[in-house]
Amino acid sequence: MFPLQRDRRLRTNESIRSLVRETHLTPNDFMFPMFIAEGKNFQVEIPSMPGIFRRSLDLTVKEVKELWDLGIKAVNIYVKVDDKLKDNTGKEAWNKNGLMQDAIRAIKDAVPGMIVMPDVALDPYSIYGHDGIIEKGQIINDATNDALVKMAVSHAEAGADFVAPSDMMDGRVLAIRKALEQNGHHNVGIMSYSAKYASSFYGPFREALDSAPVDLNDVPKDKKTYQMDYANRIEAIREALHDVEEGADIVMVKPGIAYLDIVREIKNAVNVPVSVYQVSGEYAMVKAAAERGWLDHDKIMIEQLHCIKRAGADIISTYFAKEAAVILNR
């Protein structure tokens, strides 16, 4: 009771503030999302994501080495697939000599300690830009799961440490876990995108991979029949619990900053690590505001990352990982 308890005593200077600080952020908390393209010595900046590039595999490996030197120990990788390889089945996704599989091998050969988590979803491989196979104007769940299983097993065979299903099909975690076990990949983990919302924050990402849903009469206009309604909270807890029961080793919430209530709810509900994806739109907003002088870029970046961790994130997948690691390492 005042004046016996004056809370400001613990805020007097930076030394005491750092001593009693509840949340600590280090490069160990980060996973860096990477976009990979065909070619050699090739890179192109994503217009809506300053500082983020689609890179050929040789330059990707070079960047992975830089990440490792900064203390970042995990990458979440995505590939830009040539249009001629796309169809409605996604069969290129489990090509053992495909770009994703080559990328996994190259990264693990170059930096064996780097944790590689390839994305498992059909949208980069789909002529329709959807995460699943389309029949009669609808995304069909079980046939899509069969394709995702083939994709995940091919990633494991290429050397992935974890597979990361981001598709939001029902039952896909169990199907993938069973297939990994049956094929001897007992130590390959699953990081499931458990609470992935149908968000408008994904725009720059879809530009990076050319994976937005196409505008055709017989194709769903958006992903709302499988990604979650952003108005829902309890559903996210249920999704996460289902995925843990099905064998997920890590569960993910996506997006990040606008969904910190969900992060805390899921952290309180599950007994596995919780990952949070600070997505492309969240990154782009900070970059745009900072370019106009409206925000202090570095201060906002570090504050947001602290807030994500404070909410309960064990792992933060963020495009800010490199920049933040440089600051934190100082």
Side-chain angles (χ1 to χ4, degrees):
M1 295 179 62
F2 184 85
L4 299 180
Q5 290 295 327
R6 293 180 182 263
D7 291 338
R8 287 184 57 193
R9 294 186 191 117
L10 299 180
R11 306 174 198 147
T12 303
N13 54 52
E14 177 56 24
S15 293
I16 188 63
R17 290 193 297 271
S18 63
L19 192 64
V20 300
R21 188 163 291 142
E22 299 172 33
T23 302
H24 298 276
L25 191 68
T26 78
N28 288 326
D29 297 312
F30 300 146
M31 176 164 58
F32 189 56
M34 306 183 77
F35 302 122
I36 304 170
E38 294 282 4
K40 190 170 184 179
N41 196 31
F42 165 83
Q43 69 176 21
V44 58
E45 189 173 33
I46 312 304
S48 54
M49 300 176 69
I52 301 299
F53 296 81
R54 281 199 306 265
R55 288 189 166 98
S56 54
L57 194 47
D58 54 332
L59 296 186
T60 297
V61 167
K62 180 180 177 182
E63 186 175 31
V64 169
K65 292 178 180 178
E66 294 172 2
L67 294 169
W68 184 259
D69 289 341
L70 287 169
I72 297 167
K73 298 182 175 66
V75 291
N76 193 197
I77 58 176
Y78 304 84
V79 293
K80 169 69 171 67
V81 179
D82 192 301
D83 286 347
K84 70 177 183 291
L85 298 175
K86 297 180 180 183
D87 62 12
N88 188 34
T89 70
K91 64 180 181 296
E92 177 62 20
W94 54 90
N95 176 1
K96 66 179 181 180
N97 296 312
L99 179 58
M100 179 67 89
Q101 290 76 5
D102 287 345
I104 296 167
R105 285 188 287 266
I107 293 171
K108 292 300 292 184
D109 286 345
V111 188
M114 182 65 77
I115 301 300
V116 179
M117 299 193 186
D119 180 57
V120 176
L122 296 185
D123 51 330
Y125 303 89
S126 169
I127 54 174
Y128 301 120
H130 274 284
D131 294 49
I133 297 168
I134 295 179
E135 286 185 6
K136 298 179 180 178
Q138 296 192 8
I139 311 298
I140 54 172
N141 193 94
D142 295 358
T144 296
N145 281 350
D146 292 340
L148 297 174
V149 164
K150 295 175 186 176
M151 186 179 184
V153 170
S154 77
H155 292 176
E157 290 173 348
D161 300 282
F162 283 74
V163 294
S166 64
D167 55 285
M168 290 298 287
M169 297 298 119
D170 292 332
R172 91 277 203 207
V173 173
L174 180 59
I176 290 171
R177 185 70 265 164
K178 285 183 175 179
L180 291 173
E181 295 296 319
Q182 290 166 0
N183 286 275
H185 301 297
H186 313 297
N187 293 325
V188 175
I190 298 175
M191 181 182 71
S192 173
Y193 289 58
S194 299
K196 181 178 180 180
Y197 284 84
S199 170
S200 297
F201 283 105
Y202 304 149
F205 175 94
R206 291 174 182 170
E207 176 189 357
L209 292 185
D210 187 24
S211 61
V214 298
D215 188 9
L216 295 174
N217 289 334
D218 58 347
V219 175
K221 297 291 188 291
D222 52 45
K223 302 188 178 186
K224 293 181 179 179
T225 63
Y226 48 101
Q227 294 180 357
M228 285 182 51
D229 184 343
Y230 58 70
N232 291 355
R233 176 181 62 86
I234 296 173
E235 182 185 6
I237 301 170
R238 185 168 68 245
E239 286 276 10
L241 290 173
H242 284 168
D243 285 357
V244 173
E245 289 171 359
E246 292 180 17
D249 302 281
I250 302 169
V251 296
M252 176 180 274
V253 177
K254 182 180 180 182
I257 286 294
Y259 294 79
L260 296 187
D261 60 321
I262 307 301
V263 177
R264 174 44 57 186
E265 293 273 14
I266 289 179
K267 181 65 175 177
N268 290 343
V270 302
N271 58 2
V272 300
V274 175
S275 177
V276 175
Y277 200 147
Q278 187 183 31
V279 299
S280 59
E282 297 173 293
Y283 174 87
M285 288 193 301
V286 173
K287 290 293 184 182
E291 285 176 1
R292 288 159 177 77
W294 295 343
L295 294 174
D296 183 309
H297 177 278
D298 291 353
K299 288 181 179 179
I300 289 293
M301 172 179 68
I302 296 297
E303 180 179 345
Q304 286 195 349
L305 293 169
H306 266 98
C307 291
I308 293 172
K309 188 172 182 186
R310 186 196 65 216
D314 299 288
I315 303 166
I316 305 172
S317 184
T318 175
Y319 301 99
F320 286 119
K322 288 175 69 177
E323 294 171 281
V326 169
I327 291 173
L328 294 171
N329 285 337
R330 290 178 190 155

